[in-house]
Amino acid sequence: FQFDIHHRFSNTVKKFWPEIGSVDYYAVLLDHDRVFRGRVLLTFFGGNETFRINSLGFLHYALISVGTPSVNFLVALDTGSDLFWIPCNCTDCAPNIELHIYNPSRSLTSRNVPCVNSLCKDDCSQEDNCSYKVAYVSANTGSSGFLVEDVLHLITEDKEVNAVVMLGCGYSQTGSFLESAAPNGLFGLGLGKISVPSILAGQGLIADSFSLCFGLDGVGRISFGDQGDTDQNVTPFEMNPMYNISVNEVYVAASMDTSFSAIFDTGTSFTYLSEPAYTSICESFNSYVQDSRNSRVPFEYCYTIGSDRNISWIPTVSLTMKGGGQFPVNKPIVFISDGSDLMYCLSIIKSLDVNIIGQNFMTGHRIVFDREKLILGWKEFNCYDMNGSNTLPIKPGNSISMNPNKYIPQA
């Protein structure tokens, strides 16, 4: 017998894929990866693989399964916020994108959170529903709706774990959520008590830690309970409601006496720095680049690639964290084409106040958010070999119940 073998991205195979942009399409793209390499991981039922989707804001997305019967959602992973919400009974949701909409009345395990619940704010006026409203850093970007409880389907190796979590039934989205970023929901991974990692740790399912690995090829991993390796670099979290760290020194081809505090935020595509760090780093980078300057919005420091398609030289960029750990920036640039010129830009955007280490700086690392030890860990990683991760759940089980009064939503 002879068989033809085709790659999943070949034209022969892709013509059988679901419609581009649908949840089923991304489910195929994510490949329902369950390669756990003999480790006991707690992750999403569809697998622990994540995928950077440039057309949806350059963020990393994961396929999750919610409710009974289960419905799949393609959610953006965001360490900069707490609430997990999905589009629900929409009045204002992303148009023209064939993604699933949540309907709590169709899930046998869904339950509304009433106004009398301590989760609700004083202005809660509907007796049956606890409302929420979350605003994000991007201009006029937010989500509003009401809180519900439902089952999030997880898996440890081949054993299903049905964890009851709090989530937002988001019937109205604004700003970037109506354009490209997170059109099918946002998975908050922050420190707040309402975030899913907090809920899972509170139920004893995992150690209070998780990791995100950002592969150079755009494919990554998420692992709940992962506390990293003994040889990883670490730096302490500052006393802040977000994952805030301190940078003591910056290296751009040479050491620079530049220090600042910043938030490690996977929900931000690129890195934002305020003065004086922004100008100090960018001008130092510019001083080493030999290609012609060609500024483009939103990146100020862009350079035209010559007709020979060769880049002169990209200076090495790294950060020295509090405690002395070196954090190499594997991809400090992004390539942009305006139709006539091909450019590369230093992927740092000027901020008026807050400093954010975005997802682009995390590329090529496994980032460990250890909330138990209050440290950020990192290690250069290919995201495919996860044998070294410490990911043993404390007591995996099925259908874990939860007291909703313990968790407080973020405004």
Side-chain angles (χ1 to χ4, degrees):
F1 296 95
Q2 292 182 331
F3 301 93
D4 292 329
I5 298 175
H6 300 280
H7 189 271
R8 66 173 174 169
F9 293 117
S10 68
N11 291 330
T12 302
V13 174
K14 286 178 71 173
K15 68 181 180 181
F16 297 108
W17 283 24
E19 182 180 356
I20 294 177
S22 68
V23 166
D24 291 336
Y25 168 83
Y26 289 114
V28 173
L29 198 64
L30 289 165
D31 203 31
H32 283 263
D33 179 62
R34 291 184 183 175
V35 182
F36 294 111
R37 310 281 180 136
R39 302 290 299 182
V40 182
L41 302 184
L42 184 61
T43 188
F44 299 125
F45 187 75
N48 67 336
E49 193 173 25
T50 68
F51 207 87
R52 186 184 67 229
I53 303 175
N54 295 354
S55 62
L56 297 181
F58 285 87
L59 301 176
H60 263 254
Y61 290 80
L63 192 73
I64 65 167
S65 181
V66 177
T68 307
S70 63
V71 179
N72 290 336
F73 296 88
L74 189 75
V75 294
L77 302 172
D78 182 19
T79 59
S81 65
D82 298 326
L83 183 66
F84 160 38
W85 62 263
I86 48 182
C88 167
N89 295 341
C90 289
T91 58
D92 295 295
C93 293
N96 304 320
I97 298 179
E98 297 298 322
L99 298 172
H100 291 157
I101 303 297
Y102 177 68
N103 187 337
S105 65
R106 294 180 180 175
S107 174
L108 298 176
T109 47
S110 175
R111 185 178 70 177
N112 285 358
V113 178
C115 247
V116 294
N117 192 289
S118 60
L119 286 164
C120 298
K121 295 186 174 295
D122 295 336
D123 59 356
C124 182
S125 58
Q126 300 181 35
E127 184 175 345
D128 294 332
N129 295 329
C130 172
S131 60
Y132 80 87
K133 187 173 184 179
V134 184
Y136 297 85
V137 174
S138 299
N140 194 37
T141 296
S143 174
S144 58
F146 59 92
L147 296 176
V148 298
E149 282 184 316
D150 210 339
V151 169
L152 174 65
H153 300 279
L154 303 168
I155 193 169
T156 173
E157 289 194 337
D158 290 324
K159 184 176 182 181
E160 185 175 352
V161 177
N162 297 321
V164 178
V165 300
M166 198 75 73
L167 67 141
C169 174
Y171 55 73
S172 178
Q173 275 64 254
T174 60
S176 299
F177 296 146
L178 293 178
E179 299 165 3
S180 59
N184 205 212
L186 195 73
F187 199 87
L189 293 161
L191 288 162
K193 292 182 179 180
I194 200 172
S195 76
V196 171
S198 297
I199 294 171
L200 298 179
Q203 293 297 314
L205 290 171
I206 58 169
D208 195 4
S209 183
F210 65 91
S211 70
L212 286 162
C213 195
F214 300 96
L216 294 169
D217 59 357
V219 178
R221 307 278 178 178
I222 181 169
S223 301
F224 295 109
D226 186 7
Q227 294 182 299
D229 299 335
T230 56
D231 60 345
Q232 68 183 0
N233 285 287
V234 298
T235 191
F237 288 129
E238 306 295 330
M239 297 304 293
N240 189 290
M242 305 179 82
Y243 299 110
N244 205 67
I245 53 86
S246 290
V247 175
N248 288 349
E249 190 178 65
V250 178
Y251 183 95
V252 181
S255 295
M256 303 168 52
D257 187 18
T258 300
S259 62
F260 56 91
S261 293
I263 301 166
F264 256 68
D265 182 11
T266 64
T268 302
S269 305
F270 301 104
T271 294
Y272 287 72
L273 295 178
S274 60
E275 298 291 8
Y278 173 78
T279 297
S280 176
I281 294 172
C282 292
E283 282 298 324
S284 179
F285 183 91
N286 184 64
S287 68
Y288 288 100
V289 175
Q290 302 300 312
D291 295 308
S292 300
R293 181 88 174 267
N294 189 350
S295 298
R296 290 289 188 273
V297 176
F299 302 108
E300 183 179 359
Y301 291 81
C302 294
Y303 308 88
T304 300
I305 301 176
S307 58
D308 59 0
R309 298 293 184 180
N310 290 322
I311 299 173
S312 59
W313 182 65
I314 302 297
T316 301
V317 179
S318 67
L319 311 175
T320 302
M321 303 297 192
K322 183 177 181 179
Q326 298 295 313
F327 189 97
V329 179
N330 293 307
K331 283 198 172 182
I333 62 171
V334 61
F335 290 94
I336 297 177
S337 175
D338 65 356
S340 58
D341 293 330
L342 179 62
M343 299 171 290
Y344 64 94
C345 304
L346 178 61
S347 52
I348 301 176
I349 300 172
K350 188 175 183 178
S351 169
L352 294 178
D353 44 23
V354 65
N355 296 312
I356 299 174
I357 303 298
Q359 199 175 101
N360 65 319
F361 270 35
M362 303 181 203
T363 300
H365 296 276
R366 184 168 97 233
I367 311 293
V368 176
F369 297 84
D370 194 328
R371 302 128 56 89
E372 184 177 304
K373 298 178 182 177
L374 294 178
I375 57 173
L376 179 81
W378 69 92
K379 181 178 179 180
E380 290 193 81
F381 224 75
N382 64 15
C383 299
Y384 291 96
D385 180 13
M386 298 298 285
N387 284 324
S389 57
N390 176 16
T391 52
L392 293 172
I394 296 174
K395 53 169 188 177
N398 290 322
S399 302
I400 305 301
S401 62
M402 182 188 72
N403 178 6
N405 294 305
K406 293 171 61 179
Y407 304 101
I408 303 173
Q410 301 297 299

